[in-house]
Amino acid sequence: MSLDIDCRPAQKAVTDQIMHNIDMQAAQARTSKQVAAIRLDSFDVIEPHLLEPWLILGMGTTLYSGDNGIGKSATALWTAARVTKGTCSGELQEPANVLLLLSEDAPGIIRPKLEALHADMSRVYVVVCTQPGETAIEGTTYLQLPRQGKELEALIASNHIRLMILDALADCFEHPDINKTENVAPVLTFLNHLSSKYGMAVIGIHHTNKNLLDGAKNAVRGSKAFTDKSRQVVSFIKTDDAYGFQVTKSNFMEGAPAWHYTLESAPTSTPGKTTGIISTPIPDDDLDVDREMRKSANLEEDRQSSAGEVIDWLTDYLREGAAPFNDIWAAAKEEGYSKVQLRNAQHRASNPCIESIADPTYSGRGQRRIWRLSNSVHPSPDTQMNTNEHKSETVAAVGETISNQLVFTSDTNTNEHKSETQAAVGETNTSQLLLTEDMRSNENKSYSLNLDHVEPVVVDDILAGYRKKLAADPSALDAKLPRMSPVTLEMLTQHGGLLKQLADREFQRRADSFTSAS
């Protein structure tokens, strides 16, 4: 805006400055956000939209979570091929475009998989980010969010994308520490916004941590914001018979529907070459991913050393000096360990022991605990050894990380009127097995163990697995029994029948071995 008037130069300069200020204010008014209160009933009601029965469309991000090699990416590509052909079972019935952000597999690896699924390859796009002088082959095939969010949105809008797959999701974060909510939440909030704005399905491929005992949702690696901010979580698992997945968190679905599938080999356009794809997922009402994860955590041989692994990590951490529990817990989460595993490791550590004491430097309300290494030995319960009447036998099995032998404190000169007691040896023996029995008889033995920290469904699943093994081969557990922890043996005694007989025999064998050795 300008104003032509007949005036002196000084007056004209003042007038021009006023006009410039008016122009700036007008420009700011045109570009600034307007804030208003709008009545809720002026908005249309939005019903959930689905791309596939387990995958939302235009409603936010769906997280595919699971271990490596169990079909997360293959399932996402199976859906991508169907999107390009317009054959999805949900509301998107016409062919549409797909955008891939790839950090784990190169485009040349993904291409034959989609070709084997008969995708319309003219509708599949890959993000490529290049530096000056780089070709597309040399560029990276993912972006850093939220920093490159505008560039991503421009690609989505210009190519009319209806499905976007981020594989792996965490590699698309500008900040690499995925254990911090402030790094994770803004990215997922932005992806949810893009999904809604462009009516697009978003799949983020993500990994689980090392802890499976706390259920599928809690097995998602990193900050809880992955689960909280995702509109859905689909958890993948490998069962005895097949692979499967289940909707373990949803803002739109009732229940927890599940499906199973198989991984298959399919020919590619290169003669003699094959690639892996999945079969069509089939609904499976019997699949429970939480149950399968807990069973896997308890029974798989490669998980048996997890307790020792956590003890080693915790001991190494504390070699740098005593630390508050909250600091230790924050570091443990980054390694994928649960709070339950951490506390069990503190209880079981023996060489050196790990003490939990009140922080002497803390003067606030309540009490703050610190953990530190100690060379002291876990205390043993006091027992009276000088009387033959109503004598007490106490047997403490101090976890498999301390010893597989049983420690007995008893007067063995008489078997009359003996009573069995369980000694609680303070905080350090929370997870220890306390056995009491008459050492001179195999009749009417009883065993005592606090199993409150083990969920009944987990015990049932473990027992069912062992019953199945015995039904197929009566000697299936012979080699496994000597390696079983006292906790697992105690679970077998709860069942009765052959399992209880086997557990009783193993307890007696260990007791006899200890007696002979001593």
Side-chain angles (χ1 to χ4, degrees):
M1 181 183 295
S2 63
L3 184 62
D4 294 327
I5 58 175
D6 186 11
C7 60
R8 293 191 300 272
Q11 291 175 317
K12 188 176 187 306
V14 172
T15 303
D16 288 345
Q17 184 62 48
I18 292 173
M19 292 298 101
H20 176 73
N21 291 342
I22 293 173
D23 288 340
M24 292 292 294
Q25 292 173 3
Q28 291 175 358
R30 289 193 300 270
T31 59
S32 63
K33 293 182 179 179
Q34 302 297 314
V35 179
I38 309 297
R39 279 180 47 176
L40 180 61
D41 57 7
S42 64
F43 295 89
D44 293 333
V45 175
I46 298 177
E47 297 292 337
H49 302 288
L50 297 178
L51 185 62
E52 299 285 6
W54 60 87
L55 183 59
I56 50 179
L57 175 66
M59 309 296 289
T61 304
T62 297
L63 194 70
Y64 279 14
S65 173
D67 272 343
N68 290 323
I70 59 176
K72 302 185 301 297
S73 300
T75 303
L77 293 177
W78 181 85
T79 298
R82 288 160 61 86
V83 168
T84 66
K85 295 181 291 184
T87 57
C88 292
S89 58
E91 299 178 35
L92 185 60
Q93 295 296 316
E94 68 278 359
N97 295 342
V98 175
L99 181 65
L100 306 178
L101 285 78
L102 304 172
S103 64
E104 296 210 336
D105 288 325
I109 295 175
I110 299 300
R111 176 181 172 179
K113 295 179 183 294
L114 284 170
E115 288 177 338
L117 290 163
H118 308 291
D120 181 349
M121 300 302 293
S122 68
R123 291 188 172 275
V124 182
Y125 295 85
V126 177
V127 168
V128 178
C129 184
T130 59
Q131 300 291 336
E134 284 185 337
T135 66
I137 301 300
E138 297 170 318
T140 57
T141 51
Y142 57 94
L143 300 177
Q144 297 295 290
L145 302 175
R147 178 170 54 86
Q148 294 179 293
K150 290 183 179 179
E151 291 91 331
L152 176 59
E153 183 170 1
L155 293 176
I156 292 169
S158 61
N159 293 287
H160 309 289
I161 301 299
R162 299 302 301 276
L163 170 64
M164 180 169 64
I165 300 172
L166 300 92
D167 188 3
L169 173 61
D171 291 334
C172 297
F173 289 11
E174 179 181 356
H175 301 288
D177 188 351
I178 63 171
N179 294 291
K180 294 183 177 180
T181 298
E182 60 267 29
N183 294 344
V184 176
V187 177
L188 285 166
T189 299
F190 174 67
L191 293 176
N192 292 339
H193 166 72
L194 292 182
S195 172
S196 176
K197 184 175 181 178
Y198 294 97
M200 174 181 64
V202 177
I203 299 175
I205 309 296
H206 195 55
H207 300 300
T208 54
N209 58 33
K210 297 177 182 179
N211 173 45
L212 302 180
L213 283 173
D214 291 338
K217 285 196 298 182
N218 294 321
V220 174
R221 185 182 178 191
S223 166
K224 283 190 64 180
F226 278 106
T227 299
D228 295 341
K229 292 297 183 180
S230 296
R231 295 292 181 256
Q232 286 196 163
V233 176
V234 178
S235 300
F236 285 70
I237 192 73
K238 184 182 185 304
T239 68
D240 293 336
D241 304 319
Y243 299 84
F245 59 86
Q246 185 174 24
V247 179
T248 51
K249 182 245 178 167
S250 177
N251 292 2
F252 311 104
M253 295 182 183
E254 295 183 0
W259 289 262
H260 72 258
Y261 58 93
T262 58
L263 293 177
E264 302 176 348
S265 179
T268 68
S269 57
T270 303
K273 297 292 185 179
T274 60
T275 189
I277 61 174
I278 70 164
S279 63
T280 300
I282 300 173
D284 189 341
D285 293 335
D286 295 327
L287 177 62
D288 185 329
V289 168
D290 279 342
R291 181 188 65 212
E292 294 295 335
M293 280 191 174
R294 292 188 175 105
K295 183 190 299 184
S296 173
N298 277 283
L299 294 182
E300 285 185 5
E301 291 296 333
D302 60 347
R303 301 261 181 202
Q304 294 296 322
S305 63
S306 61
E309 176 185 333
V310 182
I311 290 172
D312 291 341
W313 176 86
L314 180 57
T315 302
D316 289 341
Y317 183 91
L318 293 176
R319 291 190 193 282
E320 301 296 325
F325 173 76
N326 287 340
D327 292 352
I328 301 171
W329 167 226
K333 284 196 296 185
E334 295 183 10
E335 298 297 322
Y337 302 133
S338 73
K339 188 175 291 187
V340 172
Q341 287 178 307
L342 195 60
R343 293 194 181 278
N344 284 342
Q346 186 260 325
H347 296 324
R348 294 185 177 190
S350 61
N351 187 24
C353 297
I354 297 174
E355 295 179 328
S356 173
I357 63 172
D359 187 348
T361 65
Y362 181 68
S363 58
R365 298 182 61 183
Q367 187 183 71
R368 186 168 69 181
R369 309 292 295 181
I370 61 173
W371 288 9
R372 67 183 184 184
L373 297 180
S374 170
N375 292 324
S376 62
V377 179
H378 287 310
S380 300
D382 294 331
T383 55
Q384 184 174 347
M385 306 291 292
N386 297 324
T387 177
N388 288 334
E389 296 182 5
H390 307 288
K391 295 188 171 59
S392 172
E393 295 183 345
T394 304
V395 183
V398 194
E400 51 189 332
T401 59
I402 299 176
S403 173
N404 285 328
Q405 296 178 335
L406 301 182
V407 181
F408 298 97
T409 58
S410 63
D411 186 330
T412 56
N413 294 329
T414 178
N415 288 331
E416 297 178 3
H417 307 294
K418 291 186 179 177
S419 64
E420 298 178 347
T421 63
Q422 175 175 322
V425 193
E427 183 182 8
T428 58
N429 278 354
T430 302
S431 61
Q432 294 174 1
L433 174 66
L434 302 179
L435 298 179
T436 59
E437 60 172 314
D438 185 333
M439 293 301 302
R440 301 199 178 186
S441 171
N442 285 331
E443 299 177 1
N444 303 319
K445 291 182 184 175
S446 65
Y447 302 90
S448 176
L449 171 66
N450 181 1
L451 287 173
D452 291 343
H453 65 287
V454 182
E455 295 186 20
V457 65
V458 177
V459 177
D460 292 343
D461 288 341
I462 293 175
L463 294 177
Y466 285 138
R467 287 198 300 269
K468 183 177 179 181
K469 291 179 182 292
L470 287 175
D473 180 7
S475 63
L477 300 185
D478 288 351
K480 187 180 290 290
L481 281 165
R483 301 197 306 272
M484 284 185 185
S485 69
V487 172
T488 304
L489 286 173
E490 177 65 16
M491 291 178 185
L492 269 58
T493 68
Q494 307 298 312
H495 174 265
L498 181 57
L499 284 177
K500 176 173 171 51
Q501 294 178 26
L502 291 172
D504 286 353
R505 185 184 68 186
E506 177 58 22
F507 275 129
Q508 185 62 47
R509 185 195 67 77
R510 296 184 187 184
D512 292 343
S513 174
F514 177 80
T515 303
S516 300
S518 61

